[in-house]
Amino acid sequence: AYRHIFEKLVHGDLAPGARLSNRALAAEIGTSAIPVREAIARLQSEGFVEHRRGEGCFVPAPSCEDLFEIYDLRKAIECHAAAKAAESINDKAIADRDVCLARFASILDELKNQTGKAAPRHRSTIWKRWTETEVEFHDIILRAAGNRRALDSVRALRAMSRVFGRHVGRQ
């Protein structure tokens, strides 16, 4: 239930301001309302949905300021992690980083060598490869810093920026 609702949030299938109905979501998923209620409670505790007393849970309507705060937190955590990683990075992390850097270079070369406009599907494939590589690159640095909580926090903030970023400016 959690994964289903989370994916709906990430893909924009639940619009800002939409009320989350336990019964409707349970019917959609094919489960009872209890796992849906627990999933919504977890999403609320993680900041992905908001509870309004006496009304229920809703998809938040994020602002640009919300997104700036998320990125500000990520910057603080990741800059600190990069400094810590520089003190203790090992050969495997350096090799993994180099693989990511080579992948970035390959993607850039592919973009430079395109003639005309890339088909939308091809552009989305390139964008997907770029973002996957970027996530991997940042995770390598965070793991090298040796702080599991920093890695978990950045992953949560990354997910939040995906959900909120989809809706900012479209209201």
Side-chain angles (χ1 to χ4, degrees):
Y2 174 88
R3 176 63 42 204
H4 179 82
I5 300 167
F6 180 78
E7 290 298 322
K8 287 178 76 77
L9 288 166
V10 167
H11 295 297
D13 298 335
L14 296 168
R19 185 175 185 281
L20 300 177
S21 165
N22 291 357
R23 289 183 186 161
L25 287 165
E28 184 179 308
I29 297 167
T31 187
S32 73
I34 293 169
V36 171
R37 185 180 65 226
E38 291 172 357
I40 290 172
R42 179 176 165 195
L43 288 163
Q44 178 191 348
S45 74
E46 294 172 347
F48 291 106
V49 300
E50 59 188 29
H51 181 264
R52 297 181 195 158
R53 189 175 177 96
E55 296 181 55
C57 286
F58 294 81
V59 177
S63 66
C64 286
E65 185 176 312
D66 292 324
L67 209 50
F68 289 141
E69 287 177 358
I70 290 167
Y71 281 110
D72 194 44
L73 277 171
R74 278 188 62 185
K75 181 173 73 172
I77 294 168
E78 292 193 68
C79 286
H80 177 74
K84 296 296 271 183
E87 297 171 358
S88 60
I89 197 163
N90 61 35
D91 290 339
K92 175 162 179 9
I94 291 170
D96 291 343
R97 178 211 58 193
D98 290 346
V99 168
C100 286
L101 294 175
R103 204 173 305 139
F104 280 132
S106 172
I107 294 167
L108 286 174
D109 286 343
E110 185 177 346
L111 287 170
K112 287 178 189 175
N113 294 328
Q114 286 183 352
T115 55
K117 292 185 176 181
R121 170 174 250 151
H122 185 62
R123 279 193 304 257
S124 67
T125 301
I126 293 170
W127 176 248
K128 184 177 184 210
R129 286 187 5 241
W130 181 274
T131 55
E132 287 170 352
T133 304
E134 186 177 14
V135 166
E136 185 179 343
F137 179 81
H138 286 257
D139 284 358
I140 289 165
I141 306 251
L142 287 159
R143 280 192 303 271
N147 186 329
R148 179 182 45 84
R149 286 181 178 81
L151 177 62
D152 292 344
S153 295
V154 167
R155 284 180 175 168
L157 290 167
R158 189 182 296 142
M160 194 170 284
S161 65
R162 283 177 61 205
V163 172
F164 285 9
R166 177 172 296 286
H167 299 297
V168 169
R170 294 185 186 178
Q171 301 163 26

